[in-house]
Amino acid sequence: GSILFSMGLDSSVLEIKHFEEYTVVLCETLALVINPDYTLRRICDLREIPDALDLKDGKLMVTFIDGNKEAFPI
C-alpha cells in the first residue's frame, strides 16, 4: 500500500478506462485524465451525465445520456 493519486470528487465515479497514454476517470459531472506518472493531465467539465467515452483522433469523445456527443482535446 502506497497512495499514488488522491483527489476529492463532487460526484460519483462511473467508469475508469485505461488507455496507452493515460487513464480517464469518468464521473457524473467531469472527466479526469491522469498521466502514467499519476499527474493530472486534464479536467473536463461535463454538461450532462455521461453514458460512454472513447478516444478518436487524439480527442476524448463523451456520449451523454441524451445521445449528444462532445469532443475534448487531450
Side-chain angles (χ1 to χ4, degrees):
S2 298
I3 296 173
L4 300 173
F5 184 87
S6 178
M7 184 173 175
L9 300 173
D10 292 335
S11 63
S12 299
V13 173
L14 301 175
E15 182 177 6
I16 298 174
K17 228 172 181 180
H18 298 283
F19 296 101
E20 189 173 322
E21 296 181 28
Y22 39 77
T23 298
V24 179
V25 179
L26 188 64
C27 300
E28 291 176 343
T29 59
L30 55 88
L32 300 171
V33 183
I34 303 166
N35 291 312
D37 65 354
Y38 306 105
T39 58
L40 192 58
R41 183 177 187 134
R42 170 111 199 239
I43 297 175
C44 305
D45 290 318
L46 305 177
R47 59 174 179 76
E48 179 66 70
I49 296 175
D51 185 42
L53 70 94
D54 203 0
L55 283 181
K56 185 176 181 182
D57 300 325
K59 294 183 180 178
L60 183 65
M61 298 295 297
V62 178
T63 304
F64 299 98
I65 59 171
D66 62 3
N68 289 319
K69 295 182 179 185
E70 189 171 351
F72 296 92
I74 300 297

